[in-house]
C-alpha cells in the first residue's frame, strides 16, 4: 500500500495573553495509505479540527505548527513549503470539506463558478472547459440536473446539495487525499447517510485516501477502515474499526461507547463520562484522562505512551501493561 | 423585486414631501420678516408693502401658501430669486452641472482610493501602515474644509503658482476642446483635493470594518483551502462581500459631501450650487435658499434610493427572492 | 462616566485626545486671566500684522489684536457652544426616542417619518435657512438651533432600544410581579444606551465645533465682536498672504480639537459600543 500521508509528532500552539503558549494539538501521529479511510474521533475541544487545518498550513493566526512536527505528503515535506509551492498542495493534493456548507460557500458566486474556480486554480483551462468539468463533478457527487444547477447560488440549494457542492469543490483539482471535517454534523439525519455514501463511492472510484473527522461514532462504523480516538490534544487509542468496536480498550473509548445507545442488545442505561473536557490551556498532568477515569491508579500520574493491546491496536494507557 | 422597488420609491417620495414641508414651515414660522431683506421694510408705505406681499404671495394664509408652493414645485416652479430676479429653477439648473462635476470627481476619488486603502488597512490590520492611515484620515476628517481650502489655495495656488486658486475656467485660454478640458481639469484639482481629504476617512473606515468582518467568515477558509492566491482571496472573495455595507452607506454619506461643497465652492469660487447657497445666505435670498435646500434634499434621497437599488441588484440573495 | 474615562484611556489615540482636551479646557478656563485682552488693540501702526514672536506667540492680526488671546477666547465659545448644543441634542434624542419607542403606533410612525424627512436635508442647509431668516440670532438661540438639529440619529438609537425592551419577556415577567413597566424599561434603557449615547455625544462635540466654525465663517454663527475660530478665519482672508498666522492658528485649533474629540470618541466606541462602529 502506498503511504500518502505521514504525520509525526504534530504540535500546534497558541499564545496566551501571559506570553506562554498552549498546545491544543500535542504530539499527534498517524498515517494514511492510498484508498483507505481513517476516522479521527473525539469530542469538541480535543484538537481534531486543528489537526486537519495543520495539514494544509491553514491554522488560524496567531496559532502555528511547532518545530519538531513532521507532515509528509508522499515525498513532500509540507512544513518546508512556502508561497506558491504551498498554495499548490491546497486543493491539488489535499482537498478539504468543512462542517457548515451554508457559511462555507461564498454567497455571491454561483455554485458552478466556485467549482470551476477550484479547477482553474491548478490547471490551465478555458472557462468553457472548466465549466464542463464543474458540470461533470456535480454529476459525480450525485446532484440531479447538474447542467441546470451550475448557475444556482448557494442559498437556492438545500443543505444536502450544498454539501455535495462542497465535495465537488474539494475534488475539483483531483487531490490524493480528502479531509472531511464533520461533513454531516450540520445536516439532517436522512441526508447524512447520503453524503457518507457519496464520499465512499468517490473514494473507491478515485482511489483517494480519506481523513474523516467526527464526534459521531455511528458514522465511523462501516465507513472507516481505521479509527483514531483523540482526547485532550493526543491520540489515545487507534485500531482497525472492527477491532475497536469489539474491543474498546482505553477507558475514554469505553466511556464513549457506553454513552451511545445501541440498536441491538439489551436496553441498558446510558452512562455519560463524568466530569468535563479539560481546556487546552490547562491539560491535566500525567495521563490527561485521569481526573475522569474510573480506572485510574498510581501509575496514571505519569504520562502514558502508546502501547499495544491487540492486532494493529494501540492505546495511550498504562492499563495496556496489565492485559496480555 | 418589483414590488419592493415600488414600495421603496414610494417611501422615498414620501420622505421628500416631508422634507419639503419641513423646509417651508421652517422659513415661514421663524421670527423675522422675509421682506426685511429688502431693507426697505421701514420705508415702504402700506400700499407698497401690500403689493410686495401679494407679489410674493405672503398675504395668504400659511396653508394656502404651502399648497401653492407644492403646486408650483410640481410644475417645476420654485419661485423667483430676490437677489437675481430670475426663476430659482433656472438658477439652480445653471449651477448644478458644476457641482455634479466636483461632487462626482470627489466620489470617484473616495470610492477608488478610499476603498483600496480601506482594504489594505484590513489586510494589514494593526500594522504601522494601518495605524498611520487611520490617524491621517481622521486628521483630514477633523479639518474644517474651508480652512483647508484657503490654505491650499494660498500655498499651491497663489504662492507657488502651481494650480489656479479660484474659478472653474480661465477666460484667457483659447483653443480647442483639448485645451479647454485641460484648463477645466487644472481648476478642478484643488477643490477636489480639498473636499476629498476631509471626506475620504468615511470610505476608508467603513471599508476597513467591512473587510475585517468578511475575512473571518468560513467561506474565506474554503477559498484558501482551494489553493487560491491571497490576492484572489482578498479581492475576489472577501472584497465582493465587503462592498455591500459600503454601498448602502453611500446614501448616508452624501450629506457630508453636500455640506462640504458649500464651503469648498465658496473658497475656490467654483460656480456650483454650494457657492450659490452661500451667497444666498449673505443676501437673505429665501426663495433661492429654500429652492437649493429642496434640490439638495431630493439629491440625497435619490442617492439613498439608488444605493439601495444597487445593493439589491448586486446581492443575489436579494435579487432572486 | 467614570467607566468612560477609563475606556478612553485604553488606546494611545484616546489618551492623546483626552490629554489635549483636558489641556484645552484648562486653557479656556484660566488662559484669559494670564493673557492680554483679546479685544485690546495694541499700537495700530507698529503692532498690526506682526509675525509670531516673544511678545505675541501667535502674532497679531490686522487690528493689532493678539492672536493667541483670541484663539483662547474662541476656545471658550466653541467649547461652550458645542457642549451645550450636544447636551440638548442628546436629551432631545433620548426623550423623543423613548416616547416614540414606548408609545409605538401612529405616534411612532409619524415621528419617524419626520426624522426621515429631516435627515434628508443636510444639517448645514437647515441651519443656513433658520439662521438667515431672523435679523439677529443671539448666542443662546444659536445653541438652541444647533442642538435642535442634532438629535435625529440619537433618537433612532434610543427608539430602537426602547422597542426592543418593550418586547422582552423579562419586562412582562417583572410586570406580572407588580413592578411598574415604565420604571423597568427606563432603568434598562438607561443602562443599555448610556454607552452609545456617550459615544454619540463625544463625536457630536467635534461635529458641532466644525459646524459652528463653518457657520461663523459664513457670518451666520457667533457674531462679532465675540471671538470665534470660524469668524477669525473669515476675518483673516484679506491678509492671508501678508499675515498667514492670523488664519492658520484658529484653523489649527479647530483641527486639533476636533481630532481630539474624534480620537476619544473612537476609543469610547471600541470599548462601549462595538456593534455601532
Amino acid at each position: 500500500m502506498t503511504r500518502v500521508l505521514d504525520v509525526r509528532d504534530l504540535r500546534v500552539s497558541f499564545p496566551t495573553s501571559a506570553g506562554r503558549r498552549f498546545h491544543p494539538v500535542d504530539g499527534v501521529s498517524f498515517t494514511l495509505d492510498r484508498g483507505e479511510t481513517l476516522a479521527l474521533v473525539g469530542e469538541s475541544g480535543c484538537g481534531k479540527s486543528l489537526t486537519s487545518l495543520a495539514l494544509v498550513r491553514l491554522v488560524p493566526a496567531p496559532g502555528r505548527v511547532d518545530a519538531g512536527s513532521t507532515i509528509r505528503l508522499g515525498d513532500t515535506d509540507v512544513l518546508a513549503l512556502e508561497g506558491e509551492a504551498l498554495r499548490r498542495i491546497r486543493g491539488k493534493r489535499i482537498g478539504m470539506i468543512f462542517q457548515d456548507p451554508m457559511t462555507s460557500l461564498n454567497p455571491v458566486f454561483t455554485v458552478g463558478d466556485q467549482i470551476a474556480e477550484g479547477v482553474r486554480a491548478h490547471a490551465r483551462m478555458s472557462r468553457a472547459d472548466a465549466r464542463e468539468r464543474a458540470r461533470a463533478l456535480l454529476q459525480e457527487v450525485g446532484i440531479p440536473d447538474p447542467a441546470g444547477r451550475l448557475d444556482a447560488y448557494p442559498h437556492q440549494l438545500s443543505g444536502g446539495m450544498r454539501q455535495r457542492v462542497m465535495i465537488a469543490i474539494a475534488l475539483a483539482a483531483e487531490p490524493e487525499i480528502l479531509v472531511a471535517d464533520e461533513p454531516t454534523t450540520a445536516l439532517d439525519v436522512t441526508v447524512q447517510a447520503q453524503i457518507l455514501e457519496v464520499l465512499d463511492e468517490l473514494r473507491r472510484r478515485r482511489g483517494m485516501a480519506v481523513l474523516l473527522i467526527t464526534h459521531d461514532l455511528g458514522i465511523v462504523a462501516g465507513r472507516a477502515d481505521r479509527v483514531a480516538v483523540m482526547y485532550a490534544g493526543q491520540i489515545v487509542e487507534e485500531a482497525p474499526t472492527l477491532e475497536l468496536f469489539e474491543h474498546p480498550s482505553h477507558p475514554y473509548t469505553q466511556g464513549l461507547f457506553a454513552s451511545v445507545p445501541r440498536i441491538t442488545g439489551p436496553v441498558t442505561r446510558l452512562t455519560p463520562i463524568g466530569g468535563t473536557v479539560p481546556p487546552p490551556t490547562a491539560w491535566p498532568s500525567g495521563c490527561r484522562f485521569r481526573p475522569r477515569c474510573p480506572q485510574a491508579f498510581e501509575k496514571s500520574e505519569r504520562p502514558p505512551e502508546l502501547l499495544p493491546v491487540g492486532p494493529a491496536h494501540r492505546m495511550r494507557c498504562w492499563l495496556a501493561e496489565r492485559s496480555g | 423585486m418589483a414590488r419592493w422597488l415600488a414600495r421603496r420609491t414610494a417611501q422615498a417620495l414620501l420622505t421628500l414631501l416631508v422634507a419639503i414641508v419641513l423646509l417651508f414651515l421652517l422659513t415661514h414660522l421663524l421670527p423675522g420678516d422675509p421682506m426685511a431683506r429688502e431693507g426697505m421694510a421701514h420705508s415702504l408705505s402700506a400700499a407698497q408693502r401690500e403689493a410686495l406681499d401679494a407679489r410674493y404671495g405672503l398675504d395668504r394664509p400659511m396653508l394656502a401658501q404651502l399648497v401653492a408652493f407644492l403646486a408650483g414645485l410640481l410644475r417645476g416652479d420654485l419661485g423667483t430669486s430676490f437677489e437675481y430676479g430670475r426663476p430659482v429653477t433656472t438658477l439652480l439648473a445653471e449651477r448644478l452641472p458644476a457641482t455634479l462635476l466636483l461632487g462626482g470627481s470627489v466620489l470617484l476619488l473616495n470610492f477608488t482610493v478610499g476603498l483600496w486603502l480601506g482594504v489594505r488597512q484590513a489586510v494589514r490590520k494593526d500594522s504601522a501602515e494601518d495605524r498611520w492611515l487611520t490617524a491621517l484620515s481622521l486628521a483630514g476628517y477633523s479639518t474644517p474644509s474651508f480652512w483647508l481650502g484657503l490654505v491650499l489655495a494660498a500655498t499651491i495656488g497663489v504662492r507657488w503658482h502651481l494650480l489656479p486658486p479660484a474659478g472653474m475656467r480661465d477666460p484667457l485660454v483659447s483653443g480647442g476642446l483639448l485645451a479647454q478640458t485641460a484648463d477645466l481639469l487644472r481648476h478642478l484639482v484643488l477643490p477636489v483635493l480639498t473636499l476629498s481629504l476631509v471626506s475620504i476617512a468615511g470610505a476608508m473606515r467603513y471599508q476597513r470594518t467591512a473587510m475585517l468582518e468578511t475575512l473571518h467568515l468560513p467561506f474565506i477558509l474554503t477559498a484558501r483551502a482551494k489553493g487560491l492566491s491571497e490576492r484572489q482571496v482578498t479581492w475576489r472573495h472577501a472584497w465582493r462581500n465587503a462592498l455591500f455595507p459600503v454601498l448602502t452607506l453611500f446614501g448616508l454619506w452624501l450629506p457630508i459631501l453636500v455640506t462640504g461643497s458649500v464651503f469648498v465652492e465658496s473658497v475656490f469660487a467654483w460656480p456650483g450650487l454650494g457657492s450659490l447657497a452661500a451667497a444666498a445666505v449673505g443676501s437673505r435670498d429665501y426663495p433661492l435658499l429654500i429652492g437649493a435646500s429642496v434640490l439638495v434634499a431630493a439629491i440625497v434621497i435619490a442617492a439613498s434610493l439608488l444605493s439601495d437599488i444597487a445593493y439589491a441588484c448586486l446581492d443575489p440573495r436579494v435579487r432572486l427572492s | 462616566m467614570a467607566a468612560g474615562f477609563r475606556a478612553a484611556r485604553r488606546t494611545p489615540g484616546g489618551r492623546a485626545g483626552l490629554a489635549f482636551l483636558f489641556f484645552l479646557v484648562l486653557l479656556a478656563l484660566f488662559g484669559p486671566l494670564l493673557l492680554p485682552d483679546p479685544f485690546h488693540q495694541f499700537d495700530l501702526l507698529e503692532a498690526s500684522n506682526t509675525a509670531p514672536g516673544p511678545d505675541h506667540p501667535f502674532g497679531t492680526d490686522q487690528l493689532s489684536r493678539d492672536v493667541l488671546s483670541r484663539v483662547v477666547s474662541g476656545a471658550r465659545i466653541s467649547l461652550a457652544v458645542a457642549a451645550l448644543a450636544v447636551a440638548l441634542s442628546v436629551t432631545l434624542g433620548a426623550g423623543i426616542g423613548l416616547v416614540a419607542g414606548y408609545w409605538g403606533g401612529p405616534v411612532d410612525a409619524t415621528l419617524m417619518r419626520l426624522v426621515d424627512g429631516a435627515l434628508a436635508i443636510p444639517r448645514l442647509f437647515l441651519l443656513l435657512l433658520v439662521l438667515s431668516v431672523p435679523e439677529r440670532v443671539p448666542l443662546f438661540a444659536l445653541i438652541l438651533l444647533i442642538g435642535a438639529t442634532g438629535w435625529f440619529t440619537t433618537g433612532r438609537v434610543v427608539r430602537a432600544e426602547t422597542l426592543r425592551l418593550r418586547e422582552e419577556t423579562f419586562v412582562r415577567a417583572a410586570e406580572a410581579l407588580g413592578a411598574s413597566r415604565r420604571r423597568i424599561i427606563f432603568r434598562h434603557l438607561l443602562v443599555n444606551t448610556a454607552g452609545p449615547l456617550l459615544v454619540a455625544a463625544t463625536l457630536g462635540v467635534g461635529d458641532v465645533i466644525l459646524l459652528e466654525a463653518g457657520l461663523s465663517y459664513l457670518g451666520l454663527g457667533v457674531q462679532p465682536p465675540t471671538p470665534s475660530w470660524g469668524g477669525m478665519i473669515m476675518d483673516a482672508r484679506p491678509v492671508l498672504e501678508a499675515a498667514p498666522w492670523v488664519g492658520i492658528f484658529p484653523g489649527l485649533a479647530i483641527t486639533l480639537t476636533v481630532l481630539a474629540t474624534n480620537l476619544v470618541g473612537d476609543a469610547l466606541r471600541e470599548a462601549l459600543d462595538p456593534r455601532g462602529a
Side-chain angles (χ1 to χ4, degrees):
Chain A
M1 278 273 90
T2 16
R3 178 135 303 173
V4 286
L5 181 64
D6 189 356
V7 176
R8 266 182 256 162
D9 260 338
L10 177 61
R11 268 187 183 78
V12 174
S13 66
F14 279 79
T16 59
S17 47
R20 283 172 299 136
R21 301 191 79 87
F22 63 96
H23 301 83
V25 178
D26 202 2
V28 165
S29 306
F30 59 89
T31 58
L32 256 188
D33 288 337
R34 192 169 183 277
E36 75 165 339
T37 303
L38 169 67
L40 198 55
V41 176
E43 300 166 278
S44 34
C46 71
K48 48 196 204 297
S49 286
L50 274 175
T51 304
S52 67
L53 287 176
L55 296 179
V56 285
R57 308 256 306 267
L58 280 178
V59 171
R64 61 160 193 246
V65 175
D66 281 353
S69 316
T70 311
I71 303 178
R72 297 196 78 87
L73 252 183
D75 286 329
T76 323
D77 180 0
V78 172
L79 295 174
L81 295 175
E82 285 302 325
E84 188 64 19
L86 180 57
R87 190 185 70 71
R88 257 183 269 128
I89 4 164
R90 295 180 186 150
K92 182 131 190 71
R93 300 194 62 186
I94 303 185
M96 297 198 66
I97 304 170
F98 299 107
Q99 180 170 326
D100 184 359
M102 184 63 232
T103 53
S104 297
L105 289 173
N106 195 326
V108 303
F109 293 130
T110 61
V111 149
D113 253 344
Q114 297 191 51
I115 302 175
E117 192 185 31
V119 172
R120 294 179 79 210
H122 297 281
R124 300 196 72 84
M125 211 184 267
S126 71
R127 280 190 196 276
D129 285 341
R131 198 179 150 85
E132 174 50 37
R133 276 284 294 143
R135 193 205 59 78
L137 280 164
L138 282 180
Q139 182 153 41
E140 211 180 331
V141 296
I143 288 191
D145 183 26
R149 287 284 197 261
L150 281 175
D151 294 321
Y153 286 92
H155 71 275
Q156 294 173 306
L157 303 175
S158 70
M161 296 235 267
R162 287 196 286 259
Q163 193 61 300
R164 290 174 198 252
V165 169
M166 278 292 290
I167 298 174
I169 292 179
L171 296 176
E174 319 262 318
E176 313 151 28
I177 303 174
L178 189 63
V179 175
D181 189 352
E182 307 265 17
T184 54
T185 310
L187 303 172
D188 290 338
V189 180
T190 42
V191 180
Q192 282 184 11
Q194 294 171 9
I195 296 298
L196 292 172
E197 198 40 61
V198 169
L199 281 176
D200 236 2
E201 180 59 38
L202 290 165
R203 177 188 61 118
R204 267 178 299 207
R205 224 184 304 144
R206 287 159 170 254
M208 291 186 309
V210 174
L211 179 63
L212 180 62
I213 300 177
T214 180
H215 64 274
D216 187 346
L217 279 171
I219 294 183
V220 171
R223 302 280 181 199
D225 300 306
R226 289 186 298 128
V227 182
V229 179
M230 263 186 91
Y231 183 80
Q234 295 172 318
I235 293 187
V236 295
E237 187 164 3
E238 55 185 15
T241 316
L242 202 56
E243 168 73 13
L244 188 83
F245 273 67
E246 286 183 349
H247 307 284
S249 310
H250 194 284
Y252 176 60
T253 320
Q254 291 171 342
L256 282 181
F257 277 104
S259 56
V260 171
R262 302 211 144 171
I263 290 189
T264 55
V267 173
T268 50
R269 207 182 206 167
L270 294 176
T271 28
I273 307 175
T276 48
V277 178
T281 40
W283 294 140
S285 59
C287 171
R288 291 185 181 169
F289 191 59
R290 186 168 53 96
R292 308 169 72 186
C293 182
Q295 303 177 54
F297 60 118
E298 327 84 60
K299 201 160 188 197
S300 308
E301 289 178 22
R302 283 172 44 204
E305 293 144 26
L306 279 169
L307 303 168
V309 284
H313 186 171
R314 297 192 302 171
M315 75 167 174
R316 192 181 293 273
C317 180
W318 295 120
L319 291 169
E321 291 173 334
R322 289 191 183 165
S323 44
Chain B
M1 172 76 171
R3 243 185 349 163
W4 171 85
L5 189 62
R7 228 171 355 116
R8 182 71 184 78
T9 315
Q11 187 191 43
L13 288 171
L14 179 60
T15 309
L16 184 58
L17 183 64
V18 172
I20 294 175
V21 172
L22 219 62
L23 282 168
F24 180 88
L25 287 177
L26 276 175
T27 19
H28 285 78
L29 286 176
L30 285 170
D33 187 358
M35 285 287 100
R37 178 255 159 202
E38 306 284 335
M40 314 172 285
H42 312 288
S43 51
L44 287 173
S45 71
Q48 282 176 312
R49 186 59 210 264
E50 264 180 44
L52 221 50
D53 277 351
R55 176 162 172 248
Y56 286 105
L58 291 167
D59 52 347
R60 286 147 49 194
M62 182 92 70
L63 198 58
Q65 287 189 46
L66 175 58
V67 171
F69 183 67
L70 288 171
L73 247 184
L74 285 172
R75 282 196 316 266
D77 175 17
L78 281 164
T80 315
S81 155
F82 283 172
E83 174 78 10
Y84 301 98
R86 292 161 64 207
V88 168
T89 327
T90 320
L91 286 167
L92 292 178
E94 279 174 7
R95 306 272 264 200
L96 184 61
T99 299
L100 285 179
L101 178 60
L102 177 61
S105 310
V106 173
L107 279 175
L108 193 66
L109 198 61
N110 285 0
F111 266 98
T112 47
V113 176
L115 294 192
W116 177 66
L117 285 177
V119 171
R120 268 184 85 92
Q121 279 191 281
V123 170
R124 292 167 184 67
K125 180 176 192 277
D126 292 336
S127 66
E129 178 181 341
D130 181 25
R131 282 195 241 267
W132 267 110
L133 282 174
T134 305
L136 284 174
S137 66
L138 219 54
Y141 183 78
S142 310
T143 312
S145 52
F146 54 92
W147 180 75
L148 183 63
L150 284 174
V151 168
L152 288 178
T155 49
I156 302 182
V158 177
R159 184 162 286 198
W160 299 329
H161 283 296
L162 284 173
L163 288 164
M168 195 160 104
R169 284 175 203 282
D170 188 345
L172 298 175
V173 166
S174 56
L177 192 59
L178 206 59
Q180 298 282 358
T181 316
D183 179 50
L184 181 63
L185 287 176
R186 285 186 74 228
H187 281 87
L188 195 56
V189 175
L190 281 182
V192 167
L193 190 63
T194 309
L195 201 46
S196 205
L197 281 173
V198 303
S199 60
I200 202 170
M204 282 171 62
R205 158 156 308 194
Y206 288 134
Q207 182 69 103
R208 178 181 184 274
T209 310
M211 269 304 272
L212 283 176
E213 283 172 2
T214 312
L215 284 171
H216 279 126
L217 295 175
F219 62 79
I220 299 294
L221 184 59
T222 308
R224 291 212 173 100
K226 268 196 240 182
L228 297 177
S229 69
E230 268 312 297
R231 230 170 34 145
Q232 277 174 304
V233 172
T234 306
W235 291 99
R236 198 169 132 77
H237 281 262
W239 188 63
R240 273 283 271 127
N241 279 273
L243 191 53
F244 294 132
V246 177
L247 270 184
T248 45
L249 292 163
F250 175 81
L252 218 73
W253 218 42
L254 210 60
I256 302 178
L257 269 188
V258 166
T259 305
S261 73
V262 170
F263 299 112
V264 171
E265 285 186 14
S266 302
V267 165
F268 288 100
W270 186 264
L273 288 177
S275 50
L276 186 65
V281 162
S283 53
R284 300 288 200 261
D285 193 348
Y286 305 117
L288 190 52
L289 262 181
I290 299 178
S293 303
V294 168
L295 181 58
V296 161
I299 293 178
V300 167
I301 293 173
S304 174
L305 179 64
L306 279 174
S307 68
D308 277 355
I309 293 179
Y311 185 109
C313 285
L314 287 174
D315 186 346
R317 287 169 289 189
V318 178
R319 193 186 347 142
L320 299 169
S321 58
Chain C
M1 245 340 217
F5 278 123
R6 254 181 288 133
R9 279 205 300 268
R10 260 189 242 158
T11 69
R15 285 194 292 267
L18 218 51
F20 180 85
L21 286 174
F22 191 60
F23 161 73
L24 189 68
V25 170
L26 279 180
L27 200 62
L29 285 176
F30 302 114
L33 299 172
L34 304 165
L35 294 164
D37 178 7
F39 296 103
H40 176 79
Q41 299 174 330
F42 293 85
D43 191 333
L44 267 173
L45 285 171
E46 291 293 305
S48 76
N49 289 339
T50 38
D55 277 338
H56 300 282
F58 281 7
T60 60
D61 64 3
Q62 60 266 55
L63 293 179
S64 303
R65 294 175 295 194
D66 179 46
V67 175
L68 177 57
S69 330
R70 297 202 82 217
V71 170
V72 170
S73 281
R76 284 187 153 189
I77 299 292
S78 292
L79 289 176
V81 169
L84 290 169
V86 166
L88 180 61
S89 293
V90 171
T91 315
L92 272 177
I96 298 181
L98 182 60
V99 164
Y102 191 77
W103 265 318
V107 169
D108 178 31
T110 327
L111 278 172
M112 283 308 109
R113 288 285 140 256
L114 281 175
V115 167
D116 281 342
L119 274 176
I121 312 167
R123 198 173 177 189
L124 180 71
F125 276 82
L126 269 178
L127 286 167
L128 286 181
L129 215 49
V130 301
L131 288 173
S132 55
V133 171
E135 282 269 355
R136 241 187 52 89
V137 181
L139 193 58
F140 82 88
L142 177 69
I143 296 176
L144 221 75
L145 288 167
I146 294 183
T149 51
W151 60 266
F152 309 126
T153 331
T154 317
R156 275 214 187 135
V157 168
V158 173
R159 166 190 176 265
E161 190 63 23
T162 311
L163 278 176
R164 194 186 67 85
L165 281 175
R166 233 177 36 160
E167 302 309 313
E168 287 277 353
T169 26
F170 75 79
V171 169
R172 282 184 255 201
E175 234 188 316
L177 292 171
S180 151
R181 190 174 191 220
R182 242 177 296 192
R183 268 233 315 238
I184 308 165
I185 295 187
F186 190 67
R187 220 163 46 101
H188 281 271
L189 192 67
L190 222 59
V191 167
N192 286 1
T193 56
L197 283 183
L198 187 59
V199 173
T202 313
L203 295 174
V205 167
D207 285 342
V208 170
I209 294 180
L210 280 174
L211 198 60
E212 176 267 311
L215 288 170
S216 304
Y217 173 78
L218 290 175
L220 279 182
V222 176
Q223 300 295 330
T226 318
S228 77
W229 287 336
M232 287 172 72
I233 298 181
M234 172 178 74
D235 292 336
R237 271 181 315 178
V239 295
L240 263 183
E241 271 285 273
W245 52 88
V246 180
I248 291 198
F249 287 112
L252 270 178
I254 300 175
T255 308
L256 289 174
T257 310
V258 175
L259 182 58
T261 60
N262 278 337
L263 286 172
V264 173
D266 256 10
L268 282 175
R269 179 158 53 190
E270 265 185 53
L272 300 171
D273 184 22
R275 53 190 163 90

